C-alpha cells in the first residue's frame, strides 16, 4: 500500500541524519503521486534539508496550485541569496495516480528544472522564482509530506519514491521507473518495490522512515514500513 498524508500533520522522516546523503549538483526526484484535493499553494512531497538549518537550507519537490484545475508539479531549491523555483505549465488531474520525474542541475543559476509526467516528453515549465547566489549544500535529512518547519502539508498518497544523486535520468531510466510502477500497463500498488535501486538488487537499511500521524494506528505504521521507501540510487 502507498502511504497517505492528511495535509495537516502527517509526515515521514528519516531517523538518522545523513541517511540520504543526496547533496550533489545533479539530482533526480521521482515519485508516484495521487493528489486528493486541489492545492491552493505549494505542498511538499519530498523534502531534503540541512539538519542544522532546516528552515533555510531546504529543497522541496511536490505539487502546487493549477492554472485552472488539478495541480502542477514543482521543485524549489535553496540558494545562498534567493531560492529557485519551477513548475510545469500544464495542469494534471487530481484523484488519479501520476508518475512524476524532476531532473535538475544546480551547478549554476542558469539551468531550469525539467519535468516528465507519466513517462511523457519534457513538459513545458515556468519559473516561480529565479535563483541567485550559490547552491545550498548540507542536505542530510529527509522527510515526506511536511517540512520540519510545518510548511507544505501534502494531502494525498505517495509510492515508489526515489531521490537519485549525481545524475539526470535519461529516457531509459525514466521508462524503467514508469514500468516498475505500472506493471502490465496498470498501476500496481499492492506490493510496492522496496530496493536500493530499480534493478532490484536488495533493500536499504540505513534510511529507515518513521511515520508521524496525529492519530497513528498500527495499519498506518505498517503502510509506512511496507509500502514506502527512500531509494538512494536508481541507476
Amino acid at each position: 500500500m502507498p502511504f497517505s498524508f492528511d495535509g495537516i500533520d502527517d509526515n515521514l522522516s528519516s531517523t538518522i541524519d545523513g541517511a540520504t546523503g543526496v547533496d550533489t549538483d545533479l539530482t533526480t526526484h521521482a515519485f508516484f503521486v495521487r493528489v486528493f484535493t486541489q492545492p491552493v499553494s505549494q505542498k511538499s512531497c519530498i523534502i531534503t534539508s540541512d539538519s542544522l538549518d532546516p528552515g533555510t537550507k531546504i529543497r522541496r519537490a511536490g505539487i502546487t496550485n493549477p492554472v485552472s484545475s488539478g495541480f502542477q508539479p514543482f521543485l524549489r531549491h535553496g540558494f545562498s541569496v534567493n531560492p529557485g523555483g519551477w513548475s510545469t505549465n500544464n495542469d494534471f488531474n487530481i484523484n488519479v495516480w501520476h508518475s512524476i520525474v524532476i531532473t535538475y542541475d544546480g551547478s549554476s543559476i542558469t539551468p531550469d528544472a525539467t519535468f516528465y509526467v507519466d513517462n511523457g516528453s519534457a513538459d513545458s515549465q515556468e519559473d516561480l522564482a529565479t535563483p541567485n547566489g550559490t547552491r545550498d549544500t548540507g542536505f542530510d535529512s529527509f522527510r515526506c509530506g511536511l517540512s520540519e518547519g510545518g510548511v507544505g502539508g501534502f494531502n494525498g498518497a505517495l509510492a515508489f519514491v526515489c531521490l537519485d544523486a549525481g545524475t539526470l535520468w535519461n529516457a531509459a531510466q525514466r521508462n524503467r521507473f514508469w514500468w516498475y510502477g505500472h506493471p502490465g500497463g496498470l498501476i500496481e500498488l499492492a506490493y510496492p518495490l522496496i530496493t536500493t535501486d530499480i534493478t532490484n538488487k536488495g533493500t536499504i537499511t540505513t534510511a529507515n522512515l518513521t511515520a508521524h500521524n496525529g492519530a497513528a494506528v498500527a495499519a498506518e505504521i505498517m503502510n509506512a514500513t511496507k509500502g514506502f521507501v527512500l531509494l538512494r540510487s536508481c541507476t
Side-chain angles (χ1 to χ4, degrees), residues 148-211:
E148 290 189 49
V151 176
F154 168 64
N155 184 17
L158 294 173
F160 300 95
V161 170
C162 185
L163 179 53
D164 196 354
T167 185
L168 306 179
W169 280 7
N170 58 30
Q173 290 169 305
R174 298 193 302 271
N175 187 64
R176 189 181 308 132
F177 179 75
W178 166 258
W179 283 106
Y180 264 118
H182 289 70
L186 298 173
I187 288 181
E188 171 57 63
L189 293 173
Y191 303 99
L193 179 69
I194 301 178
T195 176
T196 53
D197 63 32
I198 54 177
T199 57
N200 201 12
K201 292 181 178 176
T203 57
I204 191 166
T205 58
T206 57
N208 297 323
L209 297 176
T210 301

Side-chain angles (χ1 to χ4, degrees), residues 136-154:
D136 283 347
T137 58
F139 295 123
D140 61 354
S141 64
F142 174 87
R143 290 169 69 96
C144 280
L146 188 71
S147 72
E148 290 189 49
V151 176
F154 168 64

Side-chain angles (χ1 to χ4, degrees), residues 125-138:
Q125 62 82 34
E126 63 176 322
D127 293 346
L128 301 177
T130 302
N132 192 10
T134 57
R135 179 181 71 84
D136 283 347
T137 58

Side-chain angles (χ1 to χ4, degrees), residues 5-159:
F5 302 82
D6 65 6
I8 303 173
D9 56 1
D10 288 357
N11 64 86
L12 295 175
S13 65
S14 60
T15 57
I16 306 171
D17 284 340
T20 53
V22 178
D23 195 13
T24 55
D25 287 333
L26 306 181
T27 54
T28 295
H29 292 72
F31 53 99
F32 279 80
V33 61
R34 185 184 181 102
V35 181
F36 295 157
T37 59
Q38 181 169 301
V40 296
S41 59
Q42 293 181 3
K43 305 300 180 183
S44 303
C45 294
I46 307 172
I47 308 106
T48 46
S49 60
D50 182 341
S51 58
L52 300 178
D53 190 7
T56 303
K57 295 185 177 181
I58 190 170
R59 174 177 55 199
R60 297 189 293 130
I63 63 167
T64 191
N65 52 290
V67 172
S68 56
S69 64
F71 74 95
Q72 296 182 349
F74 85 91
L75 178 72
R76 179 191 183 278
H77 199 301
F79 277 73
S80 59
V81 179
N82 294 314
W86 307 266
S87 73
T88 64
N89 274 320
N90 295 321
D91 297 343
F92 298 92
N93 294 332
I94 64 173
N95 291 310
V96 177
W97 281 100
H98 294 281
S99 167
I100 310 294
V101 176
I102 307 170
T103 61
Y104 180 60
D105 178 358
S107 59
S108 72
I109 62 173
T110 303
D112 294 324
T114 304
F115 298 84
Y116 304 89
V117 180
D118 296 334
N119 205 29
S121 57
D123 203 289
S124 58
Q125 62 82 34
E126 63 176 322
D127 293 346
L128 301 177
T130 302
N132 192 10
T134 57
R135 179 181 71 84
D136 283 347
T137 58
F139 295 123
D140 61 354
S141 64
F142 174 87
R143 290 169 69 96
C144 280
L146 188 71
S147 72
E148 290 189 49
V151 176
F154 168 64
N155 184 17
L158 294 173

